[in-house]
Amino acid sequence: MTISTQIETGRPLRADARRNHERILEAAREVFADCGVDAQMDDIARRACVGVGTVYRHFPTKEALLVELVRQKFRVFAAGARTALERDGEPFEVFADVLRRNADVCARDAAIQHALSGVGEHIWAQAQAEYEQLNALTTELIARAQRAGAMRPDVLATDIAMLMCGVSSTMTHNAPGFDWHRHLELVIDMLRAR
Amino acid sequence: MTISTQIETGRPLRADARRNHERILEAAREVFADCGVDAQMDDIARRACVGVGTVYRHFPTKEALLVELVRQKFRVFAAGARTALERDGEPFEVFADVLRRNADVCARDAAIQHALSGVGEHIWAQAQAEYEQLNALTTELIARAQRAGAMRPDVLATDIAMLMCGVSSTMTHNAPGFDWHRHLELVIDMLRAR
DNA sequence: GACTATAGTGAACTATGATTCCGCTTGTCA
DNA sequence: TGACAAGCGGAATCATAGTTCACTATAGTC
């Protein structure tokens, strides 16, 4: 029985288990960032100073671990969007800042890059709930900017998601002249109302 | 010694070898399209009605096979761009049609999708020459549209490449509401001069 | 301090799929 | 048509990396 199943049954985790759970997630983030998504479970275990068995006690498969990381990241994005909605300021600029911040996060996280690049569909699929939450918030941010007349009226939240998939997928291959910072600014500007 | 090395030495291929070379590429295209890039070499061999050994005689590794497919596709794109440059008509529309046509090709080719999604960097890297050729032609197409005042003046060829990476990467994951046709039209429209 | 359920360990197991290799077949050419 | 180099076939091999499991350690509790 993995610990995640146990969490669902409600029994509280032992202190060391709670500590390791965090440690493993943290290690996974780091290792994936360094070696990409096909980093090995053994590496993650080593980095977390834990046996592989322990990793498997907490996450039944490598994919489950990846999914958890992606979920967390979507939650981070959602939190950023919520903060932005509370802030006042020119709605389009607020929105643009959210995009910039999210792109920066993606640049440092191979797990999310993998989910966004077409290859990780099934992972994305398992983060549905979090994605939809994020999508709702994005819709709201967009609506504001559109109401203010600052954003093209035909942009949907899915367009933003798809554009970010693109930006993120160009981060990993460094073909000559590929500068995602510059490209992102172009994309942002293209979203402005004419 | 693989046949590709032999081609380099100049000796002509035996008739059956020439036939099989084509057959294998064709089969690879089909199998990759059906099963994605992690289709198996055995499957490709079977589809080509050939032993695995033969596949390996023609392409030393699976990656080499993938690279060849990507190269070919870049050449197809380049050919399309050349035709477009000869056509007369409103330059922006000519350009937009090239994008639409290329996107359609991508939608049916897992190898190119893989290369474009960040995961296949190294494959992309081995198709440098073809990519650069394509890039030069894209630059010319863009320049025309910009001279005609129909396209944003700050768009570079790499932006187009990056946008297409994005569109292509969204083709594979079918998250709810992801409609790449619609999205592509938005992207095209965003490229118009204001 | 003893007891026990919970958690951790890592060597061994397994599955998968790429690649090799060698005996056999076939195109080519004199 | 015979010789032989070029090609082919596919079972066997190898490598990789995810996953398991029998055993040990330890947090929590009385």
Side-chain angles (χ1 to χ4, degrees):
Chain A
M1 190 206 266
T2 67
I3 281 181
S4 23
T5 0
Q6 220 169 48
I7 288 172
E8 278 151 26
T9 66
R11 207 173 300 112
L13 285 181
R14 236 167 67 172
D16 53 347
R18 210 160 38 240
R19 194 165 53 243
N20 281 336
H21 195 82
E22 261 327 294
R23 236 189 226 187
I24 291 166
L25 281 170
E26 178 62 20
R29 262 188 291 270
E30 292 174 13
V31 174
F32 283 142
D34 285 0
C35 322
V37 276
D38 30 46
Q40 280 148 251
M41 292 299 262
D42 284 352
D43 293 335
I44 294 171
R46 205 170 312 121
R47 175 83 70 127
C49 302
V50 133
V52 227
T54 303
V55 176
Y56 278 92
R57 176 173 285 277
H58 288 261
F59 302 95
T61 63
K62 182 177 176 177
E63 176 161 310
L65 176 51
L66 231 18
V67 167
E68 181 55 29
L69 288 179
V70 170
R71 276 201 177 127
Q72 288 197 345
K73 212 49 81 166
F74 275 154
R75 272 184 233 122
V76 168
F77 292 158
R82 261 184 225 103
T83 315
L85 281 169
E86 281 160 15
R87 194 165 28 234
D88 36 31
E90 206 288 288
F92 188 91
E93 290 313 319
V94 167
F95 172 77
D97 273 343
V98 168
L99 288 196
R100 290 188 191 102
R101 222 180 301 277
N102 289 356
D104 275 332
V105 169
C106 286
R108 271 181 262 99
D109 188 317
I112 191 85
Q113 279 172 17
H114 186 251
L116 298 184
S117 88
V119 196
E121 329 108 86
H122 40 299
I123 293 187
W124 178 299
Q126 285 171 83
Q128 272 291 326
E130 284 79 5
Y131 167 64
E132 269 158 28
Q133 199 110 27
L134 172 59
N135 220 36
L137 291 161
T138 309
T139 303
E140 186 47 32
L141 277 172
I142 293 174
R144 281 205 193 181
Q146 287 172 334
R147 256 183 264 124
M151 182 183 291
R152 291 178 61 112
D154 53 354
V155 173
L156 302 179
T158 53
D159 288 311
I160 302 303
M162 290 166 98
L163 286 170
M164 293 310 281
C165 285
V167 172
S168 146
S169 83
T170 59
M171 286 171 181
T172 52
H173 48 211
N174 36 8
F178 272 37
D179 173 0
W180 68 263
H181 283 98
R182 203 200 119 266
H183 181 66
L184 177 61
E185 291 307 321
L186 176 70
V187 167
I188 289 174
D189 200 63
M190 292 197 303
L191 290 168
R192 285 182 204 280
R194 293 150 176 273
Chain B
M1 191 207 265
T2 66
I3 282 182
S4 22
T5 358
Q6 220 169 45
I7 287 172
E8 279 150 26
T9 67
R11 205 173 302 112
L13 284 180
R14 236 166 67 170
D16 53 347
R18 210 160 38 239
R19 195 165 52 242
N20 280 337
H21 195 82
E22 262 326 294
R23 236 189 227 189
I24 290 167
L25 281 170
E26 178 62 20
R29 261 188 292 271
E30 292 173 14
V31 174
F32 283 141
D34 285 1
C35 322
V37 275
D38 31 46
Q40 279 148 251
M41 292 300 262
D42 283 353
D43 293 336
I44 294 170
R46 205 170 312 121
R47 175 84 70 127
C49 301
V50 132
V52 229
T54 304
V55 176
Y56 278 93
R57 172 171 286 274
H58 288 262
F59 302 94
T61 63
K62 183 177 174 177
E63 177 162 309
L65 176 52
L66 231 17
V67 168
E68 182 54 29
L69 289 178
V70 170
R71 278 202 176 124
Q72 290 197 345
K73 213 48 82 166
F74 275 154
R75 272 185 233 121
V76 168
F77 291 158
R82 260 184 226 104
T83 315
L85 281 169
E86 281 159 17
R87 196 169 20 239
D88 37 30
E90 205 289 287
F92 188 91
E93 289 314 319
V94 167
F95 172 77
D97 272 344
V98 169
L99 289 195
R100 289 190 191 101
R101 221 180 303 276
N102 290 356
D104 274 332
V105 169
C106 287
R108 269 181 264 100
D109 188 318
I112 191 83
Q113 279 172 16
H114 187 250
L116 297 185
S117 89
V119 196
E121 331 107 85
H122 40 300
I123 294 189
W124 178 299
Q126 286 170 84
Q128 270 292 326
E130 284 78 5
Y131 168 63
E132 270 158 29
Q133 200 109 28
L134 172 59
N135 220 36
L137 291 161
T138 309
T139 303
E140 185 47 31
L141 277 172
I142 292 175
R144 282 206 192 180
Q146 287 171 334
R147 255 183 266 126
M151 183 184 290
R152 291 177 63 109
D154 53 354
V155 173
L156 301 179
T158 53
D159 288 313
I160 302 303
M162 291 166 96
L163 286 170
M164 292 311 280
C165 285
V167 172
S168 147
S169 82
T170 59
M171 286 170 180
T172 53
H173 48 212
N174 37 8
F178 273 36
D179 172 0
W180 69 263
H181 284 98
R182 203 200 119 267
H183 181 66
L184 177 62
E185 291 307 321
L186 175 70
V187 167
I188 288 174
D189 201 63
M190 292 198 302
L191 291 168
R192 285 181 204 281
R194 291 150 175 273

